[in-house]
Amino acid sequence: MTVTVAATASTIATPHFEWSLLSPMLLVFGAALAGVLIEAFAPRDLRRPMHVVLTLGSLAGAFVLTVVLAAKSSIFAGGKPGVVAAIGTVGVDRPTLFIQATILILAFVSVLLIAESSHEVSSFTPQAAAVPGSAEEREGLLAGLSHTEVYPLTLFAVGGMLLFPAANDLLTMFIALEVLSLPLYLLCGLARRRRLLSQEAAMKYFLLGAFSSAIFLFGIAMLYGYAGSVQLSAIATAAQSGLASSTLLYAGIALLGVGLLFKVGAVPFQAWKPDVYQGSPTPITALMASCTLVSAFGALLRVFYVAFGQLTWDWRPAMWAVAIVTMMVGSIIAITQTDVKRLLAYSSIAQAGYILTGVIAANAAGLSGSLFYLAAYGFATIGAFAIVTLVRDRAGEAAHMSSWAGLGKRSPLVAGVFALFLIAFAGIPLTSGFNGKFAVFRAAIQGGALPLVIIGVISSAILAFPYVRVIVLMFFSEPAAEGPVVVRPSAYTGLAVAIGAAATVVLGIIPEPLLSLASHAASQLFVR
Amino acid sequence: MSTFPWLTVAGAVPLIGAIAIALTPGRSAAGSPADRRARDLLVKRLALVFSLITLALTIVIAVKFRPGGPRFQFQQVYQWIPQFGVHYAVGVDGIALVLILMSTVLMPVVVLASWNDVEEVAAGATSAAPGKRARRGRSAKSYFAMMLVLETMMIGVFAATDVFLFYVFFEAMLVPMYFMIGSYGVGQRQYAAVKFLLYSLLGGLLMLVAVIALYVYSTHGGHQGTFLFTQLSHLALSPTTQKWLFLGFFVAFAIKAPLWPFHTWLPDAATSAQPGAAVLLVGVLDKVGTFGMIRYCLDLFPSAAHFFTPLVIVLSVVGILYGAVVAIGQADIKRLIAYTSVSHMGLITLGIFAMTSQGQAGATLYMVNHGFATGALFILAGFMVSRRKSHLIADYGGVQKVAPVLAGLFLVAGLAGLALPGLSTFVSEFLVLVGTFTRYEAAAVLATAGIILAAIYILWMYQRTMTGPVRAEVANMPDLKARELWAVAPLIALIVVLGVYPKPALDIINPAVHSTLVGVHSRDPVPPHPASAQARQASTTSTAASSTAPTSTAPTSTAPTSTTSLVQHRRGQRSQTLRKQGSSA
């Protein structure tokens, strides 16, 4: 089964680590540690530029290393789907590398938002420890302080995200989950404006996240009791033999599923998403909405395809139910939203439902469709949040939808690009969103889930309404007298928006390269 | 046939025009109002020139089209998204060709007719709210650019021979139209635009399920999945599957057409749109629905089409009568015209689903004629409205005394709406009714009643607006200007010419209608119209000699002799391996 030395040797041997196979993650974690050192030793003026260079550089470097790994033939020699590295804890295979590469690119674009230098647009509080509204807070603002800790924290989170979908045993997966979550809990509370809301969001996210981690851990315990191992492949083998008590197995699947679906934000585990997306600093929301979603879906796919791949018939009905309520609840509640970030949060919930239809297909087409969808959605969502950071009134971001009225007349370009993202979310052809939807729906129909697809398109039609309403507001309504202004972004945010828009259009018109990459990545599923 | 990509070029020219317009300096650029006006004029001229070039190209295509040749001509097939089995595949049969031609004729007309619409919206809004800061004028630039983008999509949607490509254009064309109504419309434009978009989107998404399912069925049996129409039309589908897929497509087309009871978006959208946009909406976008029915619903799902025919016939007849009765009661000119369209579109679907050669040829011709006739009506009504600044019929009276040319042309367009003999719509309406009568007598009789109602709504509207004593408000109404006359004259000319001599159009349409009827395994029930029977006999004998040996599996049991030879000829020509599961005709 596994090819590691330690697992098969009877004597205690030095663990053998395939450093090169882990290099992308090691680079990101290393850069995160270096970031902590910068924070400790570098002079205050130099910190920010050093962090930006280090963070962007390490993400780009890790991306290159991932591509190099994907091109390395020795991993896939003899038609293998990949190899298991680091004493059986990390799987290195094509879907994982695809997911990691996606996370790295999306994280790169998100960091561009985080690095926004203009004082006006910066989303982070100067002093997180200062009580909102206090004198210290004002002093910090005046002194022009900034929390440069966000960069190492982000890198730690991204490192966790890279490990999460790669983890080949459940304990590693749990650790990755914590590594990715803890920095995010902190980052959520760092918003510059409306700080109480931000702190509330962080608190909520932390509490609910801690619950879900506990449930996840409980599920691991159940599965360990069932299979006598936390390795995904061992669980799969045990499930196939069917000797042990299936109660433990099903309880384990359910609890593990809850933990994963929480991160994905599927109904009924979605409650945190709107509040957290709304309260967090918008660049962090963009990071969560894109990278965390990709990572969580990666882990979900791996667990359900590898460990429970033989049990499709057992988990599919429950997953059907989750997908249906996720699509419907996400799209229906989105209609009532009046805050742009909350709207995007509910839209993200519904999109998670569409991706779940691809997961449910449980075939290579479903995997490749989900991979494509995740990449396409990630770019559009970062772009959308980037625009949210630009539309501002006196109190900061003009989050309330009514103040977006007439934006199309004041700033046609910004409003037009935002409309493009909304049209992509709505799945209109010639945008990436349509091709993504098409890919997962096709896989679902091939997998026999036609009713699910019908519900999916009904949900899409419902979800189109809130998007269209925003477009109506922006283009067809008169501008409000005291409306928001669109600030001129620095090159960072501008670049992030441009990347998001370009990806949305290009993946809409010529999706073939990425599609065949995804399909190539998914052709042999995950390594076991 | 030359390999020059005529269709692609014709489709690309408007897009290039749109890009050119987008690159001109915008309203926010510096300059005095005079500079601004000059820039707007440049935009309009560009739009006109590019739409005329497109028209010229499509006329060349029409001239080079050989009615006796293969069904699809000017074909181009390239892989687009191999992962999905999607091709960039274009080609036209006679039906698609005349519809493309209609769209490209309408486009320069609409550009000319909309020359000042955008400014008037801005001016009207400013004068309505003088207290507020004068709103920045709406830009003519984006209006005309969207119009040209829409033209590209119209050509694409009719020319696509790949179902996915068709779907892409079908959905994507909503976006420019949505903005044209929502940004530049009048009255309840936001409501109308959203209603239009959501209705169409819902239908489109249901169709998407059917499109994907069609693809998945094409992969069964180890085949490489495909969206190519020519391959899909040979797909063997079980009757139950056909019914579901038919419904998926049909609902989308019925909303688009619109067929009663899916029509409620149309009066709102057409009333709120500018006259030019309304012409494109009713004249062209609606035809995409009926075109889709004839091309996709019938050819891909023949047995389901037969199964649902009674339902469609009933809906069509209800639509004809309902649209006409409601039109009589309208107080708003544009709304009235929109309801007449509901009635006429019912007549078109009736002709399509009568499944006779006259019915379908008539329906196709009607699509074209309706585009011209209703287009002319909308444009003339728009000219009138822009003078009097009112949509209400009651606000007019005696216009023919102050603006005789306007009134006269309005009368001609109106008479075309009620299918007066000698005008083009009469030919098509007659063919539809004859084609329907041979199979569904009751439906034809009821539909004929719709024509009587048409006389009421058209003539009564004319009487209330144009005749009678001159009202004070219209006393100073100027007659048509040269630009306006040039805009509407071609349409009136076409209405008259096609009314007297429809043969060129019918020659192009007929072969395509025959292949559709063969695809749907239908034949004319009684000895058909002598002329068309002769024509068909001639085409059968002339082409049978050159055709390859017919496949032995042709369903000879279900088709009688005269049609059988045609069936075998077509099947031999397509040299397919799969065979469609045909129901008994």
Side-chain angles (χ1 to χ4, degrees):
Chain A
M1 282 186 345
T2 55
V3 292
T4 49
V5 180
T8 47
S10 51
T11 56
I12 296 176
T14 320
H16 174 68
F17 276 92
E18 297 83 344
W19 300 110
S20 71
L21 293 180
L22 305 175
S23 54
M25 282 177 265
L26 292 175
L27 178 62
V28 171
F29 280 124
L33 292 173
V36 174
L37 294 179
I38 292 177
E39 202 53 43
F41 296 112
R44 183 170 273 172
D45 301 345
L46 284 180
R47 278 183 208 163
R48 191 182 159 277
M50 286 172 77
H51 274 306
V52 171
V53 170
L54 178 73
T55 310
L56 290 177
S58 62
L59 289 175
F63 176 73
V64 171
L65 288 173
T66 312
V67 173
V68 169
L69 276 185
K72 203 161 155 184
S73 54
S74 65
I75 302 176
F76 310 107
K80 278 187 302 176
V83 294
V84 177
I87 343 172
T89 55
V90 176
V92 180
D93 49 31
R94 287 206 178 93
T96 307
L97 290 172
F98 186 95
I99 291 167
Q100 289 180 335
T102 312
I103 293 173
L104 286 165
I105 300 181
L106 294 175
F108 185 91
V109 185
S110 305
V111 168
L112 288 177
L113 287 184
I114 293 172
E116 171 63 53
S117 55
S118 128
H119 214 54
E120 204 178 354
V121 184
S122 170
S123 307
F124 296 97
T125 174
Q127 271 183 301
V131 178
S134 65
E136 289 87 355
E137 188 188 31
R138 263 194 307 282
E139 273 170 33
L141 273 173
L142 290 173
L145 300 181
S146 66
H147 264 296
T148 42
E149 290 92 338
V150 292
Y151 299 97
L153 285 173
T154 307
L155 276 180
F156 277 119
V158 171
M161 291 174 200
L162 295 179
L163 184 58
F164 196 37
N168 195 44
D169 73 45
L170 291 173
L171 270 183
T172 315
M173 194 172 268
F174 177 72
I175 292 168
L177 175 65
E178 292 304 295
V179 171
L180 90 84
S181 302
L182 290 173
L184 285 179
Y185 299 148
L186 276 177
L187 289 167
C188 285
L190 294 182
R192 188 183 191 87
R193 323 259 178 171
R194 299 211 274 173
R195 291 189 51 207
L196 284 175
L197 198 68
S198 170
Q199 291 176 358
E200 185 195 326
M203 193 67 190
K204 237 176 211 169
Y205 193 23
F206 172 68
L207 284 179
L208 289 175
F211 267 115
S212 88
S213 294
I215 291 171
F216 188 83
L217 202 56
F218 198 27
I220 296 177
M222 296 275 185
L223 288 170
Y224 183 75
Y226 173 76
S229 165
V230 288
Q231 290 233 327
L232 296 182
S233 47
I235 295 168
T237 317
Q240 210 165 4
S241 64
L243 294 176
S245 143
S246 55
T247 317
L248 278 177
L249 175 66
Y250 293 140
I253 295 179
L255 293 172
L256 209 59
V258 169
L260 289 166
L261 290 172
F262 173 85
K263 273 289 158 209
V264 163
V267 179
F269 316 108
Q270 90 296 0
W272 60 275
K273 227 173 182 177
D275 292 336
V276 173
Y277 276 25
Q278 184 189 16
S280 304
T282 308
I284 300 303
T285 312
L287 183 78
M288 288 194 289
S290 55
C291 300
T292 310
L293 191 76
V294 176
S295 175
F297 262 108
L300 186 76
L301 284 161
R302 178 182 284 280
V303 167
F304 278 87
Y305 279 38
V306 175
F308 311 140
Q310 311 295 328
L311 306 167
T312 319
W313 288 105
D314 296 311
W315 56 260
R316 213 183 240 168
M319 211 59 129
W320 266 61
V322 169
I324 289 172
V325 291
T326 305
M327 291 189 285
M328 293 315 283
V329 169
S331 54
I332 290 173
I333 300 188
I335 294 177
T336 65
Q337 298 308 308
T338 53
D339 182 290
V340 176
K341 282 166 88 177
R342 284 185 86 85
L343 167 64
L344 291 175
Y346 277 104
S347 132
S348 156
I349 292 171
Q351 310 280 352
Y354 305 141
I355 305 174
L356 277 179
T357 61
V359 175
I360 288 169
N363 51 22
L367 180 55
S368 77
S370 308
L371 295 181
F372 180 84
Y373 199 123
L374 286 167
Y377 175 71
F379 280 112
T381 199
I382 293 182
F385 280 112
I387 295 219
V388 172
T389 66
L390 295 180
V391 182
R392 310 184 76 90
D393 55 21
R394 225 174 284 133
E397 283 162 12
H400 200 272
M401 235 188 255
S402 61
S403 54
W404 285 53
L407 195 70
K409 300 213 174 62
R410 291 189 180 169
S411 321
L413 186 65
V414 167
V417 174
F418 197 68
L420 170 74
F421 293 132
L422 292 178
I423 286 173
F425 292 150
I428 304 268
L430 300 179
T431 60
S432 60
F434 171 69
N435 287 325
K437 239 175 222 172
F438 190 90
V440 291
F441 286 168
R442 182 190 67 155
I445 293 184
Q446 268 171 344
L450 183 66
L452 208 54
V453 174
I454 292 175
I455 291 170
V457 298
I458 292 173
S459 151
S460 306
I462 298 173
L463 191 58
F465 179 70
Y467 297 144
V468 166
R469 212 175 42 175
V470 176
I471 298 180
V472 167
L473 263 179
M474 289 194 302
F475 286 95
F476 307 160
S477 300
E478 292 310 310
E482 290 290 305
V485 288
V486 172
V487 294
R488 272 195 90 74
S490 73
Y492 291 114
T493 308
L495 188 61
V497 174
I499 293 176
T504 304
V505 172
V506 169
L507 293 181
I509 296 173
I510 27 178
E512 180 59 21
L514 189 64
L515 271 176
S516 44
L517 204 62
S519 144
H520 181 62
S523 55
Q524 286 181 296
L525 300 180
F526 291 95
V527 69
R528 324 194 99 211
Chain B
M1 194 185 298
S2 72
T3 52
F4 185 74
W6 284 103
L7 283 171
T8 306
V9 171
V13 165
L15 191 63
I16 295 168
I19 294 169
I21 288 178
L23 292 178
T24 61
R27 252 178 192 267
S28 51
S32 64
D35 293 341
R36 203 169 289 163
R37 272 197 295 279
R39 284 199 292 265
D40 279 354
L41 193 63
L42 172 69
V43 162
K44 291 167 193 170
R45 285 187 176 148
L46 277 174
L48 186 61
V49 166
F50 276 96
S51 58
L52 284 173
I53 296 174
T54 316
L55 174 61
L57 282 167
T58 46
I59 288 175
V60 172
I61 294 174
V63 169
K64 289 171 83 84
F65 185 85
R66 290 173 301 137
R71 175 168 180 193
F72 288 106
Q73 301 184 22
F74 304 100
Q75 272 197 303
Q76 278 182 284
V77 180
Y78 300 107
Q79 290 222 325
W80 178 23
I81 312 175
Q83 283 292 326
F84 292 161
V86 173
H87 293 79
Y88 173 80
V90 290
V92 284
D93 61 1
I95 300 174
L97 179 65
V98 291
L99 289 172
I100 291 178
L101 207 53
M102 176 197 73
S103 317
T104 52
V105 168
L106 280 178
M107 189 55 76
V109 167
V110 166
V111 170
L112 266 182
S114 324
W115 208 254
N116 294 329
D117 283 352
V118 177
E119 283 85 342
E120 274 163 16
V121 175
T126 320
S127 63
K132 281 190 187 169
R133 184 176 58 90
R135 182 169 73 172
R136 262 175 61 188
R138 291 172 189 279
S139 95
K141 193 171 130 178
S142 48
Y143 189 65
F144 286 95
M146 277 189 289
M147 223 180 237
L148 287 180
V149 169
L150 194 61
E151 183 172 23
T152 293
M153 287 170 177
M154 287 168 180
I155 295 175
V157 81
F158 291 128
T161 53
D162 180 287
V163 180
F164 185 97
L165 187 66
F166 171 80
Y167 180 80
V168 165
F169 285 123
F170 184 84
E171 285 285 88
M173 67 200 297
L174 298 178
V175 177
M177 185 44 89
Y178 167 68
F179 279 102
M180 281 166 79
I181 299 174
S183 273
Y184 298 93
V186 291
Q188 283 191 309
R189 58 196 165 90
Q190 301 184 1
Y191 168 79
V194 171
K195 192 171 176 183
F196 159 74
L197 189 74
L198 290 184
Y199 257 83
S200 307
L201 211 56
L202 179 66
L205 285 167
L206 291 176
M207 181 172 144
L208 177 64
V209 180
V211 168
I212 301 175
L214 201 57
Y215 170 84
V216 172
Y217 282 114
S218 80
T219 61
H220 284 188
H223 292 282
Q224 173 76 32
T226 184
F227 282 104
L228 281 179
F229 174 77
T230 41
Q231 290 177 24
L232 287 177
S233 59
H234 301 128
L235 207 58
L237 295 171
S238 75
T240 321
T241 317
Q242 280 201 23
K243 281 173 199 159
W244 285 111
L245 296 184
F246 176 91
L247 279 182
F249 277 81
F250 185 78
V251 170
F253 296 144
I255 289 176
K256 198 88 168 175
L259 187 63
W260 186 88
F262 304 104
H263 66 279
T264 62
W265 63 269
L266 180 73
D268 287 321
T271 310
S272 301
Q274 287 288 331
V279 172
L280 296 179
L281 182 69
V282 177
V284 183
L285 261 63
D286 286 3
K287 306 305 182 299
V288 177
T290 43
F291 169 77
M293 288 179 197
I294 203 168
R295 163 74 66 82
Y296 296 99
C297 287
L298 297 193
D299 249 344
L300 294 181
F301 319 111
S303 81
H306 284 287
F307 179 81
F308 284 109
T309 293
L311 175 70
V312 182
I313 297 279
V314 169
L315 292 183
S316 305
V317 171
V318 173
I320 294 169
L321 298 176
Y322 173 87
V325 170
V326 177
I328 293 174
Q330 292 306 309
D332 180 309
I333 300 178
K334 283 160 100 180
R335 238 185 146 73
L336 189 153
I337 303 174
Y339 274 109
T340 69
S341 290
V342 173
S343 175
H344 291 155
M345 296 310 283
L347 214 51
I348 294 173
T349 48
L350 183 67
I352 292 172
F353 278 85
M355 309 266 187
T356 56
S357 53
Q358 297 103 322
Q360 290 192 348
T364 310
L365 191 61
Y366 207 155
M367 291 187 218
V368 176
N369 292 334
H370 178 258
F372 294 148
T374 307
L377 260 184
F378 261 121
I379 289 174
L380 287 163
F383 291 158
M384 217 157 75
V385 168
S386 74
R387 285 164 163 73
R388 169 74 179 81
K389 305 272 182 275
S390 167
H391 289 263
L392 296 179
I393 295 174
D395 285 347
Y396 295 86
V399 173
Q400 66 178 3
K401 295 199 182 67
V402 288
V405 180
L406 172 64
L409 292 177
F410 195 78
L411 182 62
V412 175
L415 291 177
L418 63 81
L420 187 78
L423 298 178
S424 62
T425 42
F426 170 73
V427 181
S428 38
E429 203 155 303
F430 184 76
L431 279 172
V432 167
L433 290 174
V434 168
T436 310
F437 189 80
T438 53
R439 186 159 281 160
Y440 306 100
E441 287 156 19
V445 170
L446 285 171
T448 315
I451 301 185
I452 299 166
L453 294 173
I456 299 178
Y457 59 68
I458 292 288
L459 293 177
W460 196 34
M461 171 176 71
Y462 184 82
Q463 189 187 341
R464 284 181 290 170
T465 53
M466 302 298 184
T467 62
V470 179
R471 285 178 61 115
E473 296 92 339
V474 300
N476 301 324
M477 188 185 266
D479 209 341
L480 290 189
K481 287 179 286 206
R483 167 185 66 81
E484 294 169 329
L485 200 59
W486 273 108
V488 80
L491 294 185
I492 301 291
L494 276 168
I495 290 171
V496 175
V497 168
L498 284 176
V500 179
Y501 190 64
K503 188 169 176 301
L506 281 173
D507 280 349
I508 295 179
I509 293 169
N510 275 331
V513 164
H514 287 306
S515 14
T516 305
L517 283 175
V518 169
V520 77
H521 311 302
S522 194
R523 65 195 174 85
D524 294 340
V526 289
H529 197 264
S532 77
Q534 270 171 13
R536 201 169 52 162
Q537 207 66 40
S539 79
T540 310
T541 46
S542 68
T543 47
S546 63
S547 74
T548 53
T551 47
S552 57
T553 50
T556 43
S557 55
T558 57
T561 4
S562 73
T563 321
T564 310
S565 60
L566 197 60
V567 169
Q568 287 174 342
H569 159 59
R570 289 285 169 196
R571 287 180 180 272
Q573 195 179 41
R574 290 171 181 175
S575 71
Q576 83 289 7
T577 49
L578 285 167
R579 188 161 61 85
K580 199 179 309 190
Q581 198 113 51
S583 76
S584 58

